[in-house]
Amino acid sequence: MKPFDYTRTARASEAVRLVAARPGATFVAGGTELLNLVRDRALAPDLVVDINQVPLSGIELRDGTLHVGAMARMREVAEHPVVRSGFPVMSEALLASASPQIRNRASIGGNLMQRTRCWYYRDAGSPCNKREPGSGCPAITGQNRWHAIHGGSRHCIAVHPSDLAVALSALQATVVVLGPRGERSIPLKDFYLLPGTTPHKETALRHGELITGVTVPGSRSARHSRYLKLRDRAAFEFAVVSVAAALTMEGSEVSDVHLAFGGIAPRPWRSAEAEAALRGRPLTDSTIASAAQALVSGAQPREHNTFKVELVRRALADILTDLGGRR
Ligand code: SF4
């Protein structure tokens, strides 16, 4: 492990200034992700700026919109009564993540900045275009059980690991960031990038920009939302496939629906086609089957992950049946 400089500050603007001034600098909050990556030699920062004292941990509802500070811890957000009642998919996604110890420590901003769990990325002895651009992608022909069936490229087929990001995608959240040129807001749908020819670029963040919070619009659908995570063991495991759904029914018809999927793509995956197959229609087995088919149409499974196509279809059917029955 390469040694790095360490400093800390209680001011967001100072943290941004320090990181922006050095190309090899990065932020650290809970440390549950960054320190693993440094230890695995997937990242080698030369300066780490500790932002734990920056006052960005508020969780509040203002004019119907939820504001969550980037330094709020996963457990605090998951257990907050406003989140549990108005945005249950967020709470469920957080509680399905990591372990109680990590949820006590890890920040919301850090959760959104998690890097892929692709084993080649975290094995410094393997080539990997994401860790070392141009070195190759052994997952394409190697062990790809965990990898993408949508959105990959011949340069990278890794999947995004954050459950919270999937839930926030279904809620149409916005990420608020502070950078050397001031504050800006990035809709979550534009925050994560597809790999294309540059898999090392995972987000729309510029160097030195710090996530300061997320905003989530409240709605009937947000109140009637759920997260379903399918994984290899019941705790402390990443999603093989996950679904976040927010749904409003008028009588027997779906009037509003927002879906996002984890474990199947390099970013939280949206399917406008699946949503269109549901909107304005009764929530019958046949409608659900059409939505599931629209979701997997165009999927490109690899040698070891063909099962994800059927798994995500069934996961979508399960969550919609459950939400439809709960109204
Ligand atoms: Fe690296 Fe992406 Fe290939 Fe995994 S899938 S080895 S992260 S380039």
Side-chain angles (χ1 to χ4, degrees):
M1 190 172 93
K2 229 178 76 185
F4 52 81
D5 295 334
Y6 168 89
T7 189
R8 62 184 169 186
T9 174
R11 292 195 358 250
S13 58
E14 175 69 358
V16 166
R17 188 188 68 73
L18 288 166
V19 170
R22 273 169 73 165
T26 191
F27 306 102
V28 68
T32 56
E33 172 73 344
L34 178 73
L35 299 184
N36 283 337
L37 291 168
V38 170
R39 193 186 54 200
D40 292 344
R41 291 184 289 147
L43 291 182
D46 59 18
L47 168 66
V48 169
V49 178
D50 184 333
I51 55 172
N52 280 289
Q53 294 174 349
V54 177
L56 288 172
S57 54
I59 306 167
E60 58 179 338
L61 195 64
R62 292 201 303 267
D63 300 327
T65 296
L66 177 68
H67 297 254
V68 178
M71 292 301 300
R73 306 294 162 166
M74 290 171 70
R75 182 188 60 79
E76 295 167 344
V77 179
E79 294 179 357
H80 198 283
V82 166
V83 176
R84 290 176 61 150
S85 62
F87 309 85
V89 67
M90 276 179 75
S91 181
E92 291 174 14
L94 285 165
L95 291 174
S97 304
S99 65
Q101 291 89 342
I102 289 177
R103 293 197 294 271
N104 282 337
R105 180 72 194 150
S107 69
I108 293 301
N111 184 287
L112 297 180
M113 291 303 292
Q114 285 179 85
R115 309 299 295 268
T116 182
R117 306 308 297 188
C118 174
W119 36 65
Y120 299 110
Y121 172 73
R122 287 171 187 257
D123 171 16
S126 295
C128 169
N129 285 329
K130 190 182 282 295
R131 179 169 26 79
E132 201 177 325
S135 62
C137 174
I140 300 278
T141 53
Q143 288 296 322
N144 46 40
R145 177 178 183 272
W146 279 75
H147 291 74
I149 60 172
H150 274 305
S153 73
R154 66 188 175 86
H155 300 278
C156 180
I157 53 171
V159 296
H160 182 76
S162 167
D163 295 296
L164 176 65
V166 177
L168 290 175
S169 292
L171 294 173
Q172 301 171 91
T174 296
V175 181
V176 184
V177 306
L178 178 68
R181 287 182 271 175
E183 191 174 88
R184 68 184 179 120
S185 296
I186 310 171
L188 204 73
K189 68 180 174 54
D190 302 325
F191 186 76
Y192 295 108
L193 309 177
L194 290 177
T197 57
T198 55
H200 57 290
K201 290 187 183 170
E202 294 190 338
T203 72
L205 285 182
R206 303 174 189 128
H207 181 67
E209 286 188 319
L210 172 69
I211 297 178
T212 56
V214 294
T215 60
V216 193
S219 67
R220 269 178 74 190
S221 295
R223 285 194 295 281
H224 195 225
S225 60
R226 235 203 97 190
Y227 189 69
L228 175 62
K229 178 173 179 175
L230 305 178
R231 46 189 163 172
D232 286 340
R233 59 182 180 193
F236 206 3
E237 186 57 282
F238 292 85
V240 176
V241 156
S242 70
V243 186
L247 182 79
T248 300
M249 303 285 292
E250 296 291 349
S252 62
E253 285 190 358
V254 176
S255 60
D256 186 39
V257 60
H258 301 279
L259 306 170
F261 302 86
I264 63 167
R267 66 182 184 198
W269 191 253
R270 301 296 307 271
S271 173
E273 296 81 7
E275 292 175 5
L278 295 164
R279 211 168 273 126
R281 296 193 165 88
L283 200 56
T284 60
D285 288 349
S286 145
T287 313
I288 291 172
S290 300
Q293 182 55 40
L295 165 67
V296 299
S297 163
Q300 290 185 302
R302 303 280 165 173
E303 183 181 358
H304 304 117
N305 67 4
T306 309
F307 73 98
K308 284 192 179 185
V309 174
E310 185 59 22
L311 194 63
V312 76
R313 285 164 66 117
R314 293 187 186 205
L316 176 60
D318 188 80
I319 201 168
L320 289 173
T321 304
D322 182 46
L323 273 174
R326 276 204 223 172
R327 72 203 147 87

